């Protein structure tokens, strides 16, 4: 089973990328319904073990958000590991490619208050088995404009400029470390070039 993660900062064009790939008959988009989400969380809990779960929990609790939102960040992070574990367990016989929108490689964008390099180190073993397509930000101003139009859950708790500055810092770290960590890493500046 071949799978590819798509990541990038919010409003970089990931949805457009996924929609274009969905038209390709050899690509299957990994579904994220409520039942599947519970399945992925259970897989993630099993896969991670207590010590790694504890790290994710403390990072989640350190975020600037209400407790319910922080717990949701924790479960979202755990489910990303569950998806990874599930896809790793599938047979390699199929020629169909599975596309994962915001998979494990997207984890640093969940933890805005944590040291991005430590988050990258935390997932480095999994990244070595992961193919990643990264959509590079079209620029701070355009990201701000898109966030103002589309919104983002984090903007309920953070100022727009602070959020955009922080996700841009995270992107800089990912572009620095991911090329040497991921199984395969490709960047795109514009979704129209995909």
């Amino acid at each position: 089973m071949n799978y590819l993660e798509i990541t990038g900062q919010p409003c970089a064009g990931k949805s457009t990328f996924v929609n274009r790939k969905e038209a390709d008959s050899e690509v299957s988009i990994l579904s994220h319904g409520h039942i599947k989400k519970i399945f992925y969380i259970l897989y993630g809990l099993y896969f991670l073990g207590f010590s790694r779960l504890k790290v994710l929990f403390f990072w989640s609790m350190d975020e600037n958000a209400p407790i319910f939102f922080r717990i949701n960040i924790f479960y979202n992070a755990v489910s990303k590991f569950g998806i990874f574990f599930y896809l790793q367990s599938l047979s390699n016989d199929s020629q169909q490619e599975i596309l994962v929108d915001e998979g494990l490689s997207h984890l640093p964008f969940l933890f805005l208050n944590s040291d991005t390099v430590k988050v990258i180190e935390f997932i480095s073993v999994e990244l070595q088995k992961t193919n990643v397509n990264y959509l590079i930000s079209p620029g701070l101003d355009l990201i701000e404009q898109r966030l103002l139009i589309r919104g983002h859950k984090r903007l309920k708790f953070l100022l727009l400029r602070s959020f955009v500055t922080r996700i841009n810092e995270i992107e800089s770290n990912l572009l620095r470390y991911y090329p040497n960590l991921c199984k395969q890493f490709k960047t795109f500046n514009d979704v129209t070039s995909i």
Side-chain angles (χ1 to χ4, degrees):
M1 179 65 60
N2 185 27
Y3 72 93
L4 169 69
E5 291 189 1
I6 174 67
T7 193
Q9 61 178 267
C11 292
K14 296 183 297 296
S15 297
T16 303
F17 177 88
V18 170
N19 292 336
R20 286 180 186 216
K21 283 293 227 177
E22 197 168 23
D24 185 344
S25 61
E26 294 189 14
V27 174
S28 174
I29 309 299
L30 187 75
S31 62
H32 288 284
H34 292 300
I35 301 298
K36 289 235 175 168
K37 180 91 171 185
I38 292 168
F39 172 76
Y40 297 139
I41 289 169
L42 292 174
Y43 251 63
L45 290 170
Y46 172 78
F47 175 72
L48 284 163
F50 180 73
S51 62
R52 293 185 85 194
L53 284 169
K54 189 168 71 170
V55 171
L56 290 179
F57 183 77
F58 284 121
W59 283 344
S60 300
M61 292 302 109
D62 194 39
E63 292 300 302
N64 295 329
I67 187 69
F68 179 78
F69 194 92
R70 288 181 277 162
I71 291 169
N72 192 48
I73 290 171
F74 172 72
Y75 283 122
N76 190 359
V78 170
S79 73
K80 291 181 187 310
F81 281 93
I83 290 167
F84 172 83
F85 182 55
Y86 168 70
L87 291 174
Q88 287 293 308
S89 69
L90 296 178
S91 167
N92 289 327
D93 297 337
S94 174
Q95 294 297 327
Q96 189 170 34
E97 182 176 65
I98 294 180
L99 182 65
V100 179
D101 187 9
E102 295 186 357
L104 196 61
S105 59
H106 195 74
L107 203 70
F109 287 112
L110 294 183
F111 300 116
L112 302 181
N113 284 353
S114 299
D115 181 340
T116 304
V117 175
K118 288 184 179 176
V119 179
I120 293 169
E121 288 171 357
F122 187 81
I123 58 174
S124 62
V125 171
E126 289 81 13
L127 288 174
Q128 292 171 19
K129 301 174 185 176
T130 307
N131 298 320
V132 177
N133 276 7
Y134 191 97
L135 294 172
I136 296 174
S137 166
L140 290 175
D141 292 337
L142 188 52
I143 291 292
E144 272 193 20
Q145 288 173 10
R146 290 177 181 176
L147 282 167
L148 284 170
I149 294 167
R150 300 178 199 170
H152 193 280
K153 292 175 185 175
R154 296 286 183 123
L155 296 179
K156 294 175 185 175
F157 324 114
L158 300 170
L159 296 173
L160 177 63
R161 179 52 71 155
S162 298
F163 180 61
V164 171
T165 301
R166 179 62 182 128
I167 60 176
N168 199 57
E169 290 169 357
I170 292 170
E171 177 175 271
S172 295
N173 277 305
L174 300 189
L175 293 174
R176 179 178 172 200
Y177 291 100
Y178 275 16
N180 297 319
L181 288 175
C182 297
K183 180 178 178 183
Q184 183 180 35
F185 184 74
K186 293 181 183 175
T187 59
F188 297 93
N189 290 318
D190 180 3
V191 290
T192 59
S193 66
I194 297 169

